[in-house]
């Protein structure tokens, strides 16, 4: 307790010191490469990735007003770039890639506080015994959502990278062919007992509901909700019914309109969590209606609403899905980080052995190439940006200055233009002379926390014996456990036999139930950042054992490696009823928040807002266009 606290400890607010933060820039970035490339991590447990204390420490010190007390005077590096991008997630890398496609001779620097590229689009890689080649999984952004309805900018990026999103590379028949279905795990946290119920499409509602460990009246209520709900709003027109739904959460609809047993409401609580990062107590009833299918969001059929078009009250995500011919499309086993690595491979010579769709998953990567002085595009990891300013009045500035913390002090570079592709809530702390109205609008984008764990299993015989490929938990810590989507691309082959090693993905959504989404996000994030990795690891082992133990699962034997990607600032919340009274008529805070400020433009999913890759991509294209328009003045 009496040891001396180093500068890095002060910035982190914890006793963790990253080796890469203490080294010189060239060695430090090689260290970051080792931390971001799973093949160089311990084989047994890959540990915590994503929003680690080292990734967030400087930003938190900046937020709390502690950073500049100890940071010292910024020192110019003498470096000058046509474009500096703050953030190496999908939006930031897309902005750099779009800029260089239009100006191949441009010098570009991308800065990020994390130890890998991709932001929430992370790659988890394992090397189980007996498998030829790595076993690859995603660490957050897993698929392309409804790509047939993407923006023209999003479709342009996919086409330029050679990604044919129609159908993806998923084998949709593998798990059903093995008689493996979705399941729901009624857990003791919700109902005092653990019970797995398989949602076999061949069974009637009454058959699977009869197995639920819930009150008799709740079973009757669920059968009614799924099979024969009445018209809850008799006498109202279609639009009037939708207006009623727009004022309710889904849990409120079940509780106050349908008046079903509390066990029935509890059974439905976690239905939306993996998609929205919060439960039925926060999901708008109007969006639940739009997403209802045979096993989710029951209770709306009796309303006989017009389903040929979305309601004006539906959130943007739901509205986009109406025009789509697809839903989640799986193109790569590592999810959307493949898009990021393909772009980086095209910009940075030698980073990847190949950059094509067919080879990006299995090629080699050299992170030591990312920040070489000879590169026209340089990518500097573990470098938290702490200041961005126009060099002079925003209206007339010809350049901007960007400062970042490199583990020793603040270094600055000069930029002809800057794209802020970080979180909206961080930007007011970096661009301190923004107009007050814009700062306030930026602060309203409170991201929802999400945790994505990937456990590499020795085999998946227990899943096969249980008859499930995915399970939703009704109230336990991890809300879903799902076998990796069977995606094969190029020479990469997904596991096809239950005797083979496989990845299982688990999701935890920390948003605290019973609150509005933004308040729930803040409370949940605070609890998450106080949760050590050991607790997360134990929870994975414990829940998988409860789920699969009756079918022979042994965590000590069957879990061979584990990576937990912690995203305290995860999903960008979309505007949605009943929480955003200004939606759909406006005005929208995002319109004010994303205004260009001199040489500084804003590109991120918060600026749309939207929690999918298309939102990040379209924001990047918009920011580049804004800066190009400014250059032409």
């Amino acid at each position: 307790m009496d040891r001396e606290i180093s500068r890095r400890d002060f910035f982190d607010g914890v006793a963790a010191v990253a080796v890469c933060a203490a080294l010189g820039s060239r060695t430090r970035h090689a260290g970051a490469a080792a931390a971001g490339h799973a093949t160089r991590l311990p084989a047994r447990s890959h540990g915590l990735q994503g929003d680690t204390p080292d990734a967030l420490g400087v930003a938190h010190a900046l937020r709390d007003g502690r950073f500049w007390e100890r940071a010292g005077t910024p020192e110019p590096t003498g470096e000058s770039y046509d474009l500096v991008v703050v953030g190496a997630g999908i939006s930031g890398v897309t902005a750099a890639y779009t800029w260089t496609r239009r100006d191949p001779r441009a010098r570009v620097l991308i800065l990020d506080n994390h130890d890998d590229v991709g932001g929430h689009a992370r790659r988890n890689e394992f090397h189980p015994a007996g498998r030829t080649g790595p076993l690859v999984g995603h660490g957050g952004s897993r698929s392309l959502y409804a790509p047939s309805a993407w923006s023209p900018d999003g479709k342009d990026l996919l086409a330029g990278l050679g990604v044919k999103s129609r159908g993806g590379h998923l084998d949709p028949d593998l798990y059903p062919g093995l008689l493996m279905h979705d399941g729901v795990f009624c857990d003791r946290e919700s109902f005092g007992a653990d019970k797995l119920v398989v949602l076999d499409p061949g069974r009637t509602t009454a058959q699977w509901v009869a197995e639920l460990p819930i009150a008799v009246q709740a079973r009757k209520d669920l059968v009614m909700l799924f099979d024969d709900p009445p018209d809850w709003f008799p006498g109202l027109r279609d639009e009037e019914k939708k207006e009623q739904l727009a004022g309710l959460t889904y849990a409120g609809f079940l509780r106050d309109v349908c008046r079903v047993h509390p066990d029935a409401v509890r059974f439905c609580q976690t239905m939306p969590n993996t998609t929205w990062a919060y439960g039925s107590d926060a999901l708008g009833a109007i969006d639940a209606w739009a997403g209802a299918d045979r096993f989710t969001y029951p209770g709306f059929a009796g309303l006989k609403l017009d389903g040929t078009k979305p309601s004006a009250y539906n959130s943007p995500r739901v509205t986009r899905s109406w025009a789509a011919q697809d839903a989640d499309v799986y193109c790569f086993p590592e999810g959307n980080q493949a898009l990021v690595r393909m772009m980086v491979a095209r910009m940075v010579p030698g980073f990847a052995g190949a950059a094509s769709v067919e080879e990006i998953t299995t090629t080699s990567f050299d992170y030591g190439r990312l920040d070489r002085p000879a590169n026209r595009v340089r990518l500097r990891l573990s470098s938290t940006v702490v200041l961005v300013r126009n060099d002079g009045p925003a209206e007339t500035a010809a350049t901007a200055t960007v400062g970042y913390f490199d583990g020793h002090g603040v270094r600055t570079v000069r930029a002809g233009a800057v794209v802020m592709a970080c979180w909206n809530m961080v930007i007011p702390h970096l661009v301190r002379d923004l107009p007050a109205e814009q700062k306030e609008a930026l602060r309203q984008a409170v991201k929802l926390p999400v945790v994505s764990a990937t456990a590499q299993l020795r085999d998946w015989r227990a899943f096969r014996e249980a008859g499930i490929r995915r399970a939703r938990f009704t109230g336990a810590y991890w809300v879903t456990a799902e076998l990796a989507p069977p995606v094969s691309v190029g020479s990469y082959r997904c596991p096809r036999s239950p005797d083979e090693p496989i990845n299982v993905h688990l999701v935890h959504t920390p948003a605290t139930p019973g609150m509005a989404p933004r308040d729930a996000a803040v409370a949940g994030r605070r609890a998450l950042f106080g949760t050590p990795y050991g607790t997360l690891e134990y929870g994975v082992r414990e829940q998988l054992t409860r789920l699969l133990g009756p079918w022979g699962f042994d965590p000590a034997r069957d879990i061979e490696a584990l990576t937990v990607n912690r995203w305290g600032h995860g999903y960008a919340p979309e505007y949605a009823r009943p929480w955003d009274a200004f939606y759909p008529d406006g005005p929208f805070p995002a319109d004010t928040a994303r205004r260009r400020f001199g040489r500084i433009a804003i590109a991120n999913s918060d600026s749309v807002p939207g929690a999918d890759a298309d939102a990040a991509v379209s924001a990047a294209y918009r920011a580049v266009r804004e800066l190009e328009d400014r250059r032409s003045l």
Side-chain angles (χ1 to χ4, degrees), residues 97-235:
Y97 183 63
T98 303
W99 190 281
T100 57
R101 287 170 74 190
R102 301 180 184 192
D103 184 1
R105 299 186 60 81
R107 286 182 49 79
V108 177
L109 174 66
I110 307 172
L111 296 163
D112 197 275
N113 59 320
H114 293 95
D115 61 0
D116 199 358
V117 298
H120 300 148
R122 296 282 284 220
R123 171 188 170 113
N124 295 331
E125 184 176 309
F126 306 90
H127 292 264
R131 178 180 169 89
T132 301
L135 187 61
V136 176
H138 68 83
S141 183
R142 67 177 189 171
S143 63
L144 306 178
Y145 177 70
S148 63
W150 272 29
S151 64
D153 291 334
K155 291 179 178 178
D156 177 72
L157 178 70
L158 295 181
L161 295 176
V163 177
K164 296 182 173 69
S165 59
R166 187 179 182 90
H169 296 100
L170 180 77
D171 180 354
D173 300 320
L174 177 61
Y175 295 140
L178 295 171
L179 301 181
M180 300 170 66
H181 310 292
D182 285 356
V184 60
F185 190 80
C186 294
D187 46 56
R188 57 178 178 255
E189 290 86 346
S190 302
F191 303 111
D194 288 344
K195 173 68 174 180
L196 173 63
V197 177
V198 179
L199 302 178
D200 187 335
R203 297 204 295 171
T204 66
T205 303
Q207 286 174 324
W208 65 262
V209 166
E211 298 182 13
L212 302 177
I214 61 178
V216 172
Q217 185 58 50
R219 291 178 188 154
K220 294 178 181 178
D221 288 342
L222 283 175
V223 172
M224 175 271 296
L225 288 172
F226 277 105
D227 289 353
D228 191 28
D231 185 349
W232 306 105
F233 304 125

Side-chain angles (χ1 to χ4, degrees), residues 226-589:
F226 277 105
D227 289 353
D228 191 28
D231 185 349
W232 306 105
F233 304 125
L236 296 185
R237 293 180 292 108
D238 183 86
E239 286 305 314
E240 291 172 331
K241 292 178 181 179
K242 291 174 180 174
E243 186 173 359
Q244 290 291 315
L245 294 179
L248 298 165
T249 64
Y250 181 51
F253 169 73
L254 295 175
R255 182 185 61 246
D256 301 329
V257 177
C258 307
R259 298 185 181 278
V260 297
H261 191 279
D263 278 1
V265 180
R266 199 171 294 119
F267 174 81
C268 298
Q269 170 62 18
T270 59
M271 285 179 173
N273 284 61
T274 54
T275 300
W276 298 91
Y278 48 67
S280 292
D281 62 302
L283 177 67
I286 191 68
D287 285 331
W289 158 71
D293 60 28
R294 182 176 173 190
F295 294 117
T296 58
Y297 309 131
F300 299 104
L303 294 173
K304 301 189 184 308
L305 298 174
D306 178 11
T308 62
K309 60 182 179 179
S311 165
Y313 298 110
N314 279 130
S315 65
R317 175 186 177 91
V318 170
T319 300
R320 287 196 303 274
S321 70
W322 235 277
Q325 295 106 34
D326 43 28
D328 285 310
V329 174
Y330 297 87
C331 294
F332 306 96
E334 67 267 52
N336 293 330
Q337 205 205 42
L339 303 179
V340 176
R341 291 198 183 197
M342 282 193 287
M343 287 187 280
V344 174
R346 285 161 168 78
M347 292 188 291
V348 180
F351 167 67
S356 68
V357 169
E358 292 74 18
E359 297 172 287
I360 196 66
T361 298
T362 53
T363 194
S364 60
F365 301 97
D366 184 353
Y367 278 69
R369 299 277 187 148
L370 290 178
D371 194 17
R372 293 191 171 183
N375 294 355
R376 286 198 173 276
V377 178
R378 301 176 70 174
L379 207 159
R380 197 163 292 168
L381 300 173
S382 300
S383 300
T384 304
V385 172
V386 295
L387 69 90
V388 181
R389 62 171 179 260
N390 288 292
D391 296 328
E395 299 79 11
T396 58
T399 59
T401 296
V402 178
Y404 64 94
F405 183 74
D406 71 349
H408 301 287
V410 177
R411 316 300 180 197
T412 63
V413 299
R414 185 65 56 85
V418 181
V419 169
M420 305 296 293
C422 52
W423 310 322
N424 266 13
M425 67 181 70
V426 174
I427 294 175
H429 299 289
L430 308 183
V431 190
R432 287 178 288 177
D433 54 347
L434 280 172
E437 178 189 26
Q438 187 170 5
K439 286 184 177 181
E440 179 57 31
L442 286 161
R443 292 189 182 103
Q444 292 187 37
V446 179
K447 298 176 86 74
L448 291 152
V450 180
V451 185
S452 176
T454 305
Q456 184 255 300
L457 305 184
R458 186 183 69 160
D459 59 58
W460 40 294
R461 288 194 292 263
F463 274 93
R464 173 66 182 84
E465 291 298 319
I468 58 168
R469 60 184 176 186
R470 176 185 185 273
R472 172 180 69 88
F473 294 83
T474 55
Y477 189 84
W478 299 96
V479 295
T480 56
E482 179 179 10
L483 288 177
V487 176
S488 297
V489 57
S491 62
Y492 184 87
R493 290 292 175 263
C494 70
R496 303 191 63 84
S497 166
D499 295 324
E500 295 181 74
I502 200 169
N503 291 334
V504 58
H505 298 289
L506 298 94
V507 173
H508 168 57
T509 51
T512 304
M515 298 181 176
R518 289 169 178 81
D519 296 332
V522 173
R525 180 162 45 248
R526 187 178 300 116
L528 174 63
F529 285 162
T531 303
Y533 171 78
T535 300
L536 299 172
E537 178 184 22
Y538 175 81
V540 169
R541 295 176 178 274
E542 191 260 354
Q543 278 191 232
L544 287 178
T545 303
R546 288 164 60 187
L547 175 67
L548 300 169
W551 290 273
F553 182 82
D554 178 351
R557 179 194 65 205
D558 294 333
I559 300 178
E560 295 187 327
L562 175 66
T563 299
V564 176
N565 291 274
R566 184 181 73 170
W567 302 117
H569 302 269
Y571 291 177
E574 295 195 357
Y575 297 138
R577 288 298 192 100
W579 306 107
D580 299 310
F582 55 77
Y583 185 77
D585 298 322
F588 304 124

Side-chain angles (χ1 to χ4, degrees), residues 52-68:
T52 62
D54 292 304
L56 297 183
V58 173
H60 283 170
L62 194 69
R63 175 202 64 190
D64 297 338
R66 300 181 289 115
F67 178 80
W68 290 108

